[in-house]
Amino acid sequence: MHLVACNLCVWIRYLVKETADKLEDYKDVDNNDTSGNMDGDLKAVDLLDDSFAYQHGRSDFCLSENPMTVFLVSTAHAEKFLYPFIVEYSLIAVAIVLIIWLNVGRRTSTVPANVSRNHSEKELVLDCQQATAGLFFGVLVLVGTIAELILFFSATESEPPGKPEIIISNAFLFTILVISMIATVSAFYRIRKLQHCARAGLEMDSALLLVALVGVIIHAIVSIIATSTNLAEVINVLLFLRNMAVLVQASMQTLLILDGSRRYSDVDAEEKPGRQLLMFLVIANMSMWIFSTFEVLNLEVNPTQRQFYGNLTWTVISNLCTPLNIFFRFHSMACFFEIWKKAYKPIALT
């Protein structure tokens, strides 16, 4: 239980730290004078002043003058990437430690006679039958996501993103969400042909997925409320549609994972209904995971929500829900892969 409390404290610590840092960034953006706001605080430490100067593009700074500055600047840039992963690690650690704590002292069940005791010694073999089409279209979505991110950050390298960049970004993600919704519904319909076993699910994975889903739902609902107050602008309409699509698609996807993790084939047959769609959803969630991870770096991707709730409230909501949103996509990708790998085999072989 000490480890559970420790990981929860790590989560809270980084939530508070990131909230304070982002509030400072918002203050600098609002004042449109970041250099003037912080120079006085950094005069006493030349090294940090050099790092700050590099981050804000001063022409009188040469990066090669101090190797330690390179490390500080790299750390400052990497910290925004790594913050969600620290939260995700803490969440997984809490779940694993809780399961260990709940099972301490319990007797293990005996192995059924019809299940081989050498199952753990078997080599990992992936059956890629009936997965090529899903893989192909999934890779197309992944390539499109990477191209869109490159274009977005290239256009916003020297100045904050304007309405065209935000509109294109949200329209692209909305398109992926709609396609994923169609794939999820189709997969739901097709995997019903498989057998269902109530005790064959992924208990820990399901619990982690439901916890992450709470963050996705909260973020989507508060965004829908903020954008619904002013639907006269195109950007607000797209943000509204995007978050509605996130809410519906994430809920449907969670139900599919909970159901699919309990499916199996009574025979090792050639027909594998829904396998192409599961492979597509694996890569589609990878694309949305990459998209969400890079979106954290930009302060102005949700301008309407920030104006509606204020800097403090929106920063707390964002820092609390965004890591769960990123984790939801990553964990969904892993769960879909497990279903894709195991659901089309007899239960004794999975």
Side-chain angles (χ1 to χ4, degrees), residues 251-279:
S251 301
M252 293 170 55
Q253 179 171 285
T254 302
L255 293 175
L256 175 61
I257 291 173
L258 294 177
D259 180 68
S261 63
R262 291 165 173 80
R263 296 285 177 175
Y264 69 97
S265 177
D266 52 353
V267 292
D268 197 2
E270 292 293 328
E271 184 182 6
K272 303 180 188 297
R275 204 161 193 248
Q276 304 274 18
L277 295 166
L278 291 175
M279 174 53 68

Side-chain angles (χ1 to χ4, degrees), residues 33 49 74 93 127 151 199 216-218 233 239 286 304:
D33 187 17
D49 185 61
S74 301
D127 178 14
L151 292 174
R199 300 182 62 187
V216 175
I217 291 174
I218 292 174
E233 297 185 14
L239 285 169
M286 181 189 296
T304 305

Side-chain angles (χ1 to χ4, degrees), residues 215-230:
V216 175
I217 291 174
I218 292 174
H219 191 277
I221 289 176
V222 296
S223 297
I224 289 169
I225 293 172
T227 54
S228 63
T229 58
N230 183 16

Side-chain angles (χ1 to χ4, degrees), residues 172-185:
F172 180 81
L173 183 58
F174 176 71
T175 304
I176 297 178
L177 288 165
V178 171
I179 296 172
S180 298
M181 275 193 283
I182 297 171
T184 301
V185 173

